[in-house]
Amino acid sequence: MMPPARGAIRASDAGGTGAHVGYGMIGLLTLLVPFFGVVALGYGAGRARLVSGGLEALEFFVFSVALPALFFHLITTAPPLAGGWAFVATTTFATYCAFAIAFSIGALVNGGNVPEATIEGLVGSFSNTAYLAPALVIAALGTVAAAPVALIYSFDTALLLIVTPLMMALGGTTRTDLRHLGIDIARQVLLNPVIVATLLAFLAAAFGLRMPVPIDSTLAFIGNAAAPGALFLLGANLATRAFGPIRLEQPLIVAVKLIAHPLIVYLLLSWVGGFDPLWMSAAILIAALPPSVGVVGIAGRYRIYAAHASVSVLIGSLAAVVTLTVAVVLVVQGLLPGDPFR
């Protein structure tokens, strides 16, 4: 095993909470093989048509029940390290920067079509956090990583829910009644199950409230299903994606998501400084995740770029087998300089 670079980001420096940080090749394989293996299992089941109609029920359970229970349990039982609003502001701004880059590439190629460029911007910036972060980031860095994962997911989701309808209204695809638009955006943000669970968990942790043991055990039991369920669901969803012709901009926006986005997060967090190494590691790994399959649903809802978005997500998911593995090695082995500007 290579020694960490001098002054490197090391999640294990944060109280020894990193589950796999500093492990050699066996530790990395132990982390990555189940991660990609369950996705492949779901993909195989989907291609063989062993699963179909039941996916909607599984999706509801994973994202509306298991994932909120997981975040609430982990945050309240292992109070988060100090991250602060600066961390949230920096990571959310980094996601917006990736969106702006991918949007600009799309608009340049498609002749200024704002709605289409908006979907391309989402492909290049919105990580598949809900599906992949519990099984990778929390597994790699330990349960304390649930706090930054929940925060990044909540604020990135809020950013998506705000930016998307505004850009679509700007592009003329939806109504421009600002009052109704604002109410609809607020409803989607405030009623999102993961955002609600994250907010309640941080409030409970701030006031030192603990759930009764039977309730906490139930939350832990349900939350344990989030990671494998999400991975299987991702594989099954990818199996429904048809691989069509690749347009010029698609490899570019996928590169923004898999390479530029984590690089922006790393550089911005390092430049601002003062963040816990574990939180920085979590943010980098989340940014390195492939594009969210949820973008395909958004594209379908607006009937814009849906088929191409599906291909982009599939390309990103396949390419991430390589790029995400590299990111995991760099982060968990402590190979990233802690201060690249020095």
Side-chain angles (χ1 to χ4, degrees):
M1 182 184 73
M2 294 179 61
R6 185 176 181 180
I9 297 175
R10 299 188 63 182
S12 56
D13 293 339
T17 54
H20 289 273
V21 176
Y23 276 33
M25 185 58 67
I26 298 300
L28 290 172
L29 290 175
T30 301
L31 172 65
L32 294 173
V33 170
F35 177 79
F36 291 118
V38 178
V39 176
L41 182 63
Y43 184 85
R47 294 293 293 180
R49 304 194 182 282
L50 298 177
V51 292
S52 55
L55 290 180
E56 290 186 3
L58 178 60
E59 185 172 10
F60 174 82
F61 173 76
V62 168
F63 299 122
S64 297
V65 181
L67 197 59
L70 175 69
F71 285 153
F72 187 91
H73 166 71
L74 293 180
I75 293 172
T76 53
T77 55
L81 304 174
W85 290 107
F87 175 83
V88 171
T90 304
T91 55
T92 306
F93 179 67
T95 298
Y96 178 78
C97 289
F99 171 84
I101 295 171
F103 175 90
S104 300
I105 292 173
L108 183 64
V109 173
N110 67 33
N113 186 319
V114 172
E116 187 173 297
T118 298
I119 300 299
E120 292 167 321
L122 295 179
V123 171
S125 61
F126 193 53
S127 296
N128 215 348
T129 309
Y131 283 93
L132 301 178
L136 180 68
V137 182
I138 295 176
L141 303 178
T143 56
V144 177
V149 168
L151 281 173
I152 292 172
Y153 175 75
S154 297
F155 279 84
D156 277 6
T157 299
L159 177 67
L160 174 142
L161 293 174
I162 293 170
V163 168
T164 303
L166 289 177
M167 296 301 291
M168 292 300 178
L170 179 64
T173 62
T174 60
R175 64 189 182 191
T176 55
D177 185 327
L178 294 181
R179 178 175 174 274
H180 287 91
L181 187 61
I183 292 174
D184 187 55
I185 291 173
R187 183 185 298 114
Q188 290 188 62
V189 172
L190 296 177
L191 296 182
N192 182 282
V194 174
I195 294 177
V196 171
T198 300
L199 175 61
L200 293 177
F202 275 100
L203 287 175
F207 288 98
L209 301 179
R210 298 294 296 270
M211 294 296 102
V213 174
I215 295 178
D216 190 59
S217 298
T218 301
L219 292 173
F221 179 73
I222 296 173
N224 286 337
L231 291 178
F232 185 89
L233 187 60
L234 173 61
N237 279 329
L238 290 177
T240 66
R241 309 297 172 200
F243 198 90
I246 300 176
R247 290 176 35 163
L248 172 64
E249 75 278 6
Q250 289 176 299
L252 297 177
I253 60 178
V254 167
V256 171
K257 179 69 207 71
L258 299 180
I259 300 173
H261 189 192
L263 185 60
I264 293 170
V265 168
Y266 167 56
L267 293 177
L268 280 179
L269 288 174
S270 300
W271 180 62
V272 175
F275 299 115
D276 187 276
L278 184 142
W279 284 53
M280 289 185 64
S281 297
I284 294 168
L285 288 180
I286 290 173
L289 295 175
S292 172
V293 295
V295 175
V296 180
I298 294 173
R301 187 184 317 146
Y302 287 101
R303 299 181 180 179
I304 295 170
Y305 201 72
H308 298 300
S310 180
V311 172
S312 296
V313 169
L314 184 56
I315 293 172
S317 299
L318 293 174
V321 174
V322 176
T323 59
L324 186 56
T325 299
V326 172
V328 169
V329 171
L330 291 175
V331 169
V332 303
Q333 297 288 57
L335 301 178
L336 292 174
D339 186 359
F341 298 101
R342 184 168 54 188

